[in-house]
Amino acid sequence: MAASDYTINFQNGSSTQPVTLPVGTYSFVSTTISGYADGGIAQFTVEPTSTSIALSISASGTLEVTVKDDLGNSITSGAMQLSNQSGGSLYGVEKAITNGVATFGNVPYTAAGIGFYVAQNGSDANHNAITTPQTVSMAQKSQTEAVLNERKTTSLNFTMADANYAGITPVTGALVVNG
């Protein structure tokens, strides 16, 4: 008896209706799931007591997140994490920021865009980490998103002295600090 093909339609990760399969071992190949790698033959077995089967496929997108400050300087350390909007559900493992870039592989995408978020789990000593998740809509197989780190600030008091005559304090005035 020849093997039969069964089409299982999915929506939001679940089959849209139950599929009746005879007991046995099956293989599947993903070929029409947008944003996911074609191929990946995998097997699963249906037992007389089976009520559900969990399958997994690998996405084929790459997301590069560049992290710089308002002066265009790259952040030198820290980590980025994919998450849901609140940051409460984390996806995968965090990625180190190296030379201002964190790269995520195997990210799903569709032409309409798949929405998720990135948050920063730390930064270098001179910058504040972006702890509020930032929106990303993955619409291309290879995509670059930029996030901006604020430079840390410090409250300072200044004193001024005459450069040529010690002990003489300039009267009153203002200097413009640029940078």
Side-chain angles (χ1 to χ4, degrees), residues 2-178:
S4 297
D5 288 338
Y6 299 87
T7 300
I8 303 170
N9 295 308
F10 287 87
Q11 184 173 3
N12 297 324
S14 295
S15 55
T16 56
Q17 62 186 18
V19 176
T20 302
L21 296 176
V23 169
T25 300
Y26 296 85
S27 61
F28 72 93
V29 178
S30 62
T31 58
T32 60
I33 302 174
S34 179
Y36 285 82
D38 288 345
I41 295 175
Q43 291 191 328
F44 64 93
T45 301
V46 175
E47 304 285 345
T49 58
S50 297
T51 58
S52 66
I53 301 288
L55 306 175
S56 64
I57 56 176
S58 290
S60 58
T62 301
L63 173 63
E64 181 178 274
V65 180
T66 61
V67 189
K68 296 185 177 190
D69 65 19
D70 60 314
L71 298 177
N73 299 317
S74 294
I75 305 310
T76 59
S77 65
M80 299 294 291
Q81 177 76 53
L82 297 179
S83 74
N84 66 349
Q85 184 175 9
S86 70
S89 293
L90 303 178
Y91 308 136
V93 297
E94 68 181 21
K95 300 296 181 181
I97 299 170
T98 305
N99 298 323
V101 177
T103 303
F104 297 90
N106 305 109
V107 179
Y109 67 94
T110 65
I114 292 179
F116 53 88
Y117 297 81
V118 292
Q120 195 173 350
N121 297 340
S123 189
D124 59 26
N126 297 322
H127 298 87
N128 295 314
I130 303 168
T131 56
T132 301
Q134 306 292 302
T135 304
V136 173
S137 180
M138 193 71 178
Q140 301 172 37
K141 184 172 185 172
S142 181
Q143 189 167 314
T144 300
E145 295 287 329
V147 294
L148 190 66
N149 266 188
E150 290 182 5
R151 291 180 283 161
K152 286 187 176 178
T153 59
T154 297
S155 180
L156 302 169
N157 289 312
F158 290 88
T159 59
M160 189 181 307
D162 187 289
N164 299 301
Y165 300 101
I168 297 177
T169 303
V171 185
T172 303
L175 294 177
V176 174
V177 176
N178 194 329

